[in-house]
Amino acid sequence: MSGEPIDSINEFFYSLKTYSFIVADAIDKQADTLAGTIRDTLSKSEWIPESARPSPRRVPVPERMFNAVGGVGRRGGWWDKNKWSVAIVVVAAALGVAGYGYAKRKKDRKKRRAKKAGNGGRREVVVIAGRSPHDPISRSLALDLERRGFIVYVVVNSIEDEHVVANEGRSDIKPLNIDILDTENAQTAVEKFTIYLSNPVQAFPGAHPHNLNLAGVILIPDLTYPTGPVETTPIDLWSDTLNLKILSTVVTAKSFLRVLCDFHSRLLLLTPNVISPLSPPFHAPETVAVAALSGLATSLRRELAPLGVDVCHFKLGTFDCSAMMARQQQDRVNATRAEILSWAVPARVAYAKNYMSLSSKSGNSGPAGIKGSSLRELHLAVFDALTDEKPSTVWRVGSGSMIYEVLGKIVPDGLVSWMLGASRKGENGERREEGMIMGLGGVGSASGSAGTSEGSVEWEKL
């Protein structure tokens, strides 16, 4: 208690001292200002001889124009205060970019070869279950994996497909006949395949037998989807799409689950990831199917992880198929025109303009006019997913595979529609005029059949 008065006195004298300094500084500033004013006045007074006049005050000139607006000046500017922070950020960014580029280049140049048996024979087996051996991605993956030392089995369900695989002329690319539509037959075929993998094999006559290992199963559902308004899409087409894209994928995965668990293998599922993230108009079948397959991949990953099976979901962008792009673009335009003419008249008036606009800007594989990535990126990613000790659960490969997913999550619906060329309908009179223009301007003249002509004339009468 006795110390409190002393502390109060000390605080009082400290405050008095502080305020005294503040008052003294204010007086000094006022005195300096007054002295400067008197000096300026005397320097301009003509009644004082020139030799006795004091020189005027020297006004400091800003060294840079940016000082006046708070920009970057040499003294007291933003740059002087933050130059070290900026330098550290720039250096860190440069090192990060250089490190990423070096790591990516080193990873791309890494020698990727499948493990071999002790006698030098091939032991790693991969199964590719795609739409058909004619599918470009399935065929490209099979050839690349075989070149890297895998024994590749391509799932087929007909004699013709077996001949296609045999015509590749590669002894280590073999057909695996499994009829997915017949679940009992499929299960029996997979069981025989499991027995084959479990028994030792000889790489060549006289070689010591060695066991095979199933590295993984690659599921490649059909990557092409029907387009068009939901109103005009037949129920049969919806049924076929869901069966071919979703149900057949589920049946194929189900057939191989036991052998995957026995060998602790990998399951790779490939789906497109350009159109579906944006959920654009006239692509409802693809949006629904890809969403279902993504859910399947997530559920299977969590279901099989405790059993030692890794599930990798590949989200594909666009790939470079420049040799086929021009022909595909023209075929898509002709197919779009023919499809529009098959619609009922009210559907044409309601959807034709936006459907034509969207079709000219996108296709089944992605936006038109955009060159895709090289298939080599997919080859390297698939190999890494099959061989890495801890593979990523999601792989985004190909042009647009990531950016369109980001845009679909953050860009408003109105902006996405505008980017895709969609427009709102106006009054009834504008709709009639639009229908007449479209009926006369190429859509009706795309075909020379009588049915097409009648459709065009009927459209012009609106």
Side-chain angles (χ1 to χ4, degrees), residues 241-405:
T241 300
L242 298 179
N243 285 331
L244 292 175
K245 318 294 185 183
I246 302 176
L247 188 58
S248 64
T249 304
V250 173
V251 173
T252 305
K254 181 178 182 298
S255 301
F256 284 97
L257 288 183
R258 179 46 47 197
V259 64
L260 287 173
C261 293
D262 292 342
F263 286 87
H264 300 289
S265 309
R266 308 279 169 80
L267 178 64
L268 278 59
L269 175 63
L270 280 60
T271 61
N273 198 49
V274 174
I275 297 297
S276 55
L278 297 177
S279 299
F282 313 119
H283 286 81
E286 179 172 357
T287 303
V288 171
V290 173
L293 292 174
S294 298
L296 173 65
T298 303
S299 181
L300 276 177
R301 181 174 66 248
R302 296 170 179 171
E303 184 176 317
L304 300 178
L307 303 179
V309 176
D310 294 314
V311 178
C312 302
H313 183 196
F314 276 71
K315 298 185 176 183
L316 306 183
T318 57
F319 294 96
D320 185 14
C321 300
S322 54
M324 304 173 60
M325 287 301 293
R327 178 64 181 273
Q328 288 181 352
Q329 178 69 13
Q330 184 60 39
D331 292 345
R332 185 163 58 247
V333 171
N334 294 335
T336 300
R337 291 174 174 175
E339 183 179 357
I340 291 176
L341 289 174
S342 68
W343 299 347
V345 174
R348 295 184 206 169
V349 176
Y351 305 113
K353 181 179 179 181
N354 286 336
Y355 185 54
M356 283 292 295
S357 177
L358 184 65
S359 298
S360 64
K361 294 186 177 183
S362 66
N364 288 321
S365 60
I370 297 180
K371 185 177 181 179
S373 302
S374 171
L375 282 172
R376 184 173 182 270
E377 292 186 15
L378 180 61
H379 299 161
L380 300 182
V382 168
F383 182 92
D384 292 340
L386 291 172
T387 58
D388 284 355
E389 183 177 356
K390 293 183 179 180
S392 301
T393 57
V394 178
W395 299 69
R396 295 175 177 85
V397 187
S399 298
S401 58
M402 179 175 291
I403 185 62
Y404 285 104
E405 185 172 352

Side-chain angles (χ1 to χ4, degrees), residues 25-98:
D25 290 341
I27 294 174
D28 289 343
K29 289 181 180 180
Q30 294 296 331
D32 290 342
T33 303
L34 181 60
T37 303
I38 295 174
R39 184 173 183 175
D40 290 342
T41 303
L42 294 177
S43 66
K44 297 177 183 178
S45 301
E46 296 180 358
W47 55 274
I48 299 177
E50 186 175 354
S51 59
R53 293 179 190 173
S55 58
R57 284 185 301 175
R58 186 176 181 181
V59 180
V61 180
E63 296 182 2
R64 294 188 182 182
M65 292 180 60
F66 297 111
N67 282 343
V69 294
V72 181
R74 193 177 69 179
R75 291 183 181 177
W78 182 88
W79 175 256
D80 268 357
K81 296 179 181 178
N82 301 276
K83 58 184 179 182
W84 288 111
S85 300
V86 173
I88 292 174
V89 171
V90 171
V91 171
L95 290 176
V97 172

